[in-house]
Amino acid sequence: QLGDFEHFMLKEINEQPLALENAFRGRLNMSEGTCKFGGLNLSRKNIRQIDRILIVACGTAWHSGLVGEYLIEKYSRIPVEVEYASEFRYRNAPMDKNTLVIVISQSGETIDTLEAQREAQRKGYHVIGIINNVGSTIARENDGGIYQHSGPEIGVASTKAFTSQLLILSMLSVYLGRTRDLSYADGCQMVEAIRTLPKLVEQTLELGEEIQSIAKAYAKNKDFLFLGRLEMFPIALEGALKLKEISYIHAEGYPAAEMKHGPIALISEDCPSIVIVPDDETLKKNLSSVQEVRARKGKVIIITDSYDIPAHLADEIITVPKSHNCVRPILMTIPLQLLSYYIAVELGRDVDKPRNLAKSVTVE
Ligand code: M6R
């Protein structure tokens, strides 16, 4: 049911506070500064023996895996690799004995992800899933997992399922970290950041009108660049994918510092850059990327949680609430979802059923 919303995508964007709460309900252990999961089927001893994690997924779920790589490596200190499921299943890459495989899929029916899971299981690896669709084929066949409980996602462009995957990966990084060497104090801070996230998401959603007017001003552009560093790089990729999928505008995501190795040639008055600028140790570097774009007459939209960015540095500044690093990618995603949604609406696109795309890809 659409209720008051014009499209399922907008409804699902607005459902994110609840979807996130559903993802952490019953899974936070405040007193021990950790998270708990019922169905991983891994003992603490098993977890201490993991030498490597391989995350396998497609599309938006692959982007959440890339953010997961940063989170798990940072908080659990376990090396992580992320592969497209379609590549993994045919590549026969050598793997370490003590590798944990994580598959991520909203639908739980994506054929490439399912076959990648079967391939990993055939070789004896323990595969856990982060899945939204309860009882789906991937969920039924894996060795353990975490359900997202985001509720049905109807819009072809994934929104609430993506941010819920990010939250679960953040919780998983706390759990793995606390089973290895994340401190009690750090664990407590992260758990508190997760618990209070839905309120911050609600505040971020209030940016809707501001973003709608920015979307109107930029909808005529034919190319966009999305830039971010570290865990904001996959968020840039996701922003570009959202825009491509529903508005059919060409968009590319890049790590901000890679711009000078090629994509900078694209920059002109007609190719705006959307730069994600978190208030952290990358801030100055990101602002120098912004200046490189501006020096070439490129328009810049900054998405930030810093209150100190001089207004003259960008054409538009969208400010989200401040948050802990472990949940910040979620807050940075929401303006990108709204921007692509309103641009697609402005262009009269079929937002919920974009051309050539299906909600779940069950062909190879
Ligand atoms: O159901 P899955 O998460 O396995 O789907 C994977 C991709 O097909 C999916 O994320 C696709 O990229 C979406 N249309 C993104 O919005």
Side-chain angles (χ1 to χ4, degrees):
Q1 288 301 319
L2 269 174
D4 290 340
F5 295 99
E6 210 181 320
H7 297 102
F8 280 106
M9 182 178 176
L10 187 61
K11 177 172 183 264
E12 287 156 8
I13 289 173
N14 278 280
E15 281 171 352
Q16 288 177 108
L18 181 62
L20 293 165
E21 205 164 322
N22 289 342
F24 70 66
R25 184 171 298 117
R27 290 172 170 161
L28 303 183
N29 180 339
M30 307 299 291
S31 61
E32 292 178 27
T34 188
C35 296
K36 52 188 178 191
F37 300 102
L40 295 182
N41 299 328
L42 289 169
S43 67
R44 289 208 171 96
K45 198 164 165 216
N46 294 150
I47 286 172
R48 289 207 61 92
Q49 283 164 346
I50 299 169
D51 288 332
R52 195 163 278 280
I53 290 177
L54 175 67
I55 301 180
V56 182
C58 301
T60 284
W62 182 76
H63 295 156
S64 69
L66 289 177
V67 177
E69 176 178 1
Y70 286 95
L71 294 172
I72 295 172
E73 290 193 344
K74 181 165 185 170
Y75 298 111
S76 327
R77 309 298 302 163
I78 303 172
V80 180
E81 279 172 76
V82 187
E83 277 225 45
Y84 284 118
S86 54
E87 293 287 309
F88 171 79
R89 55 181 292 210
Y90 296 117
R91 205 161 77 86
N92 197 22
M95 282 163 71
D96 290 352
K97 188 161 58 100
N98 295 323
T99 299
L100 171 69
V101 178
I102 303 178
V103 296
I104 307 177
S105 173
Q106 186 287 130
S107 63
E109 299 295 349
T110 300
I111 191 77
D112 283 325
T113 312
L114 173 62
E115 288 301 334
Q117 167 167 294
R118 287 177 175 159
E119 182 65 17
Q121 286 177 313
R122 191 174 294 121
K123 292 177 173 161
Y125 292 97
H126 189 90
V127 182
I128 62 167
I130 298 176
I131 311 287
N132 191 34
N133 189 5
V134 175
S136 55
T137 313
I138 298 178
R140 284 199 317 271
E141 290 191 14
N142 59 27
D143 304 302
I146 305 169
Y147 275 124
Q148 298 183 225
H149 301 307
S150 314
E153 192 180 62
I154 311 289
V156 163
S158 185
T159 53
K160 64 176 179 174
F162 176 65
T163 50
S164 136
Q165 287 159 359
L166 297 185
L167 189 68
I168 287 173
L169 287 159
S170 194
M171 292 193 291
L172 193 61
S173 73
V174 181
Y175 173 67
L176 296 173
R178 292 285 293 130
T179 314
R180 296 163 70 111
D181 34 46
L182 186 73
S183 74
Y184 169 70
D186 289 343
C188 286
Q189 270 187 19
M190 291 173 73
V191 170
E192 183 58 13
I194 291 165
R195 191 185 67 78
T196 51
L197 178 68
K199 272 264 155 303
L200 300 184
V201 172
E202 272 169 26
Q203 287 169 27
T204 310
L205 289 167
E206 286 167 14
L207 294 165
E209 270 182 36
E210 178 186 336
I211 295 174
Q212 186 172 15
S213 62
I214 296 175
K216 282 196 173 132
Y218 287 80
K220 61 183 184 315
N221 287 96
K222 302 268 181 284
D223 300 281
F224 279 79
L225 273 185
F226 288 73
L227 304 171
R229 281 167 205 258
L230 305 179
E231 64 274 21
M232 298 307 162
F233 161 50
I235 300 304
L237 291 178
E238 174 63 7
L241 179 67
K242 282 299 78 110
L243 189 65
K244 276 184 268 207
E245 279 189 295
I246 58 167
S247 68
Y248 319 145
I249 293 174
H250 169 243
E252 295 195 37
Y254 269 97
E258 273 295 300
M259 195 178 55
K260 55 187 175 294
H261 299 287
I264 199 160
L266 292 173
I267 292 177
S268 73
E269 296 173 310
D270 302 323
C271 176
S273 295
I274 302 187
V275 190
I276 307 168
V277 184
D279 188 9
D280 64 10
E281 66 285 358
T282 64
L283 187 121
K284 278 205 182 111
K285 295 279 175 202
N286 279 319
L287 292 184
S288 69
S289 305
V290 164
Q291 276 160 332
E292 283 170 25
V293 175
R294 302 265 293 174
R296 288 157 185 86
K297 300 201 163 43
K299 291 234 172 355
V300 171
I301 302 173
I302 287 183
I303 300 181
T304 187
D305 58 354
S306 163
Y307 305 132
D308 304 319
I309 297 187
H312 70 270
L313 274 191
D315 297 278
E316 322 284 344
I317 299 182
I318 300 171
T319 310
V320 304
K322 283 197 189 299
S323 59
H324 190 286
N325 169 275
C326 72
V327 293
R328 191 192 264 140
I330 295 172
L331 294 177
M332 294 294 195
T333 299
I334 291 165
L336 299 177
Q337 296 171 338
L338 288 166
L339 192 66
S340 60
Y341 171 76
Y342 284 118
I343 289 180
V345 169
E346 186 62 22
L347 296 174
R349 307 294 192 223
D350 188 349
V351 173
D352 286 333
K353 289 203 186 80
R355 68 185 182 201
N356 307 339
L357 294 172
K359 183 63 186 160
S360 95
V361 182
T362 51
V363 289
E364 297 186 32

